[in-house]
Amino acid sequence: MKRKKTAIVTASILVVVSVCIYFYYGFLFKEARNIESEAPDYSITATKLLEDYTTNPKKADSLYLNKTIEITGGITKETDSVLTLEGTVFCLFTQKVKALPVKTKVTVKGKCIGYDELFQEVKLDQCTLINNQIN
């Protein structure tokens, strides 16, 4: 009798552990997106993106949040891994960006992570530089 109870308890534990592992890997654990290889959902200018966020933030979030977008605009600030376009779009790169002069027109692809009301900037991460034309 004791052996039968031990077998049932052991089988129950194995079933629970199996279900937990399946749930974790099937639903919770997802590999990171590779934004660089994704096709953009939207291609817009930096000023239009900010305009959309300042006029109707909820609608802009529904359109752009967590989506891959291409942004075109002139560089207003540049650091090792950040470009700011038109003073309104903060683009965080995964690696160091080659030095580009201010006012260079570029196209950047990245994932929109939302609007920062404090700095009045739209933020993108996992960015890659698509092209640039010196003005």
Side-chain angles (χ1 to χ4, degrees):
M1 185 78 162
K2 189 172 184 176
R3 227 179 201 183
K4 194 174 185 181
K5 283 184 179 180
T6 303
I8 292 173
V9 169
T10 303
S12 299
I13 290 173
L14 287 174
V15 167
V16 169
V17 168
S18 297
V19 168
C20 289
I21 290 171
Y22 174 77
F23 181 74
Y24 176 76
Y25 283 106
F27 299 103
L28 296 179
F29 178 77
K30 295 187 188 226
E31 290 187 31
R33 291 170 52 188
N34 184 354
I35 301 299
E36 187 174 0
S37 66
E38 288 184 15
D41 297 305
Y42 297 97
S43 294
I44 59 174
T45 65
T47 52
K48 171 70 172 139
L49 181 63
L50 181 69
E51 179 184 311
D52 289 351
Y53 265 101
T54 54
T55 55
N56 191 343
K58 287 184 181 183
K59 182 179 179 189
D61 270 348
S62 70
L63 289 174
Y64 306 121
L65 191 63
N66 292 320
K67 301 278 178 37
T68 301
I69 57 176
E70 277 185 358
I71 304 296
T72 302
I75 297 172
T76 52
K77 186 178 178 185
E78 177 263 334
T79 63
D80 286 346
S81 61
V82 174
L83 290 179
T84 302
L85 306 181
E86 306 297 340
T88 62
V89 179
F90 179 90
C91 303
L92 179 62
F93 289 77
T94 54
Q95 55 192 356
K96 188 175 181 178
V97 181
K98 66 180 180 177
L100 295 167
V102 172
K103 296 189 181 180
T104 301
K105 186 176 180 181
V106 295
T107 301
V108 173
K109 181 167 64 169
K111 181 179 77 170
C112 181
I113 58 173
Y115 180 66
D116 185 336
E117 291 179 1
L118 180 64
F119 293 107
Q120 296 182 340
E121 292 178 327
V122 180
K123 300 210 179 249
L124 276 70
D125 73 349
Q126 301 178 34
C127 293
T128 54
L129 193 61
I130 302 300
N131 67 21
N132 66 302
Q133 303 91 23
I134 306 249
N135 288 341

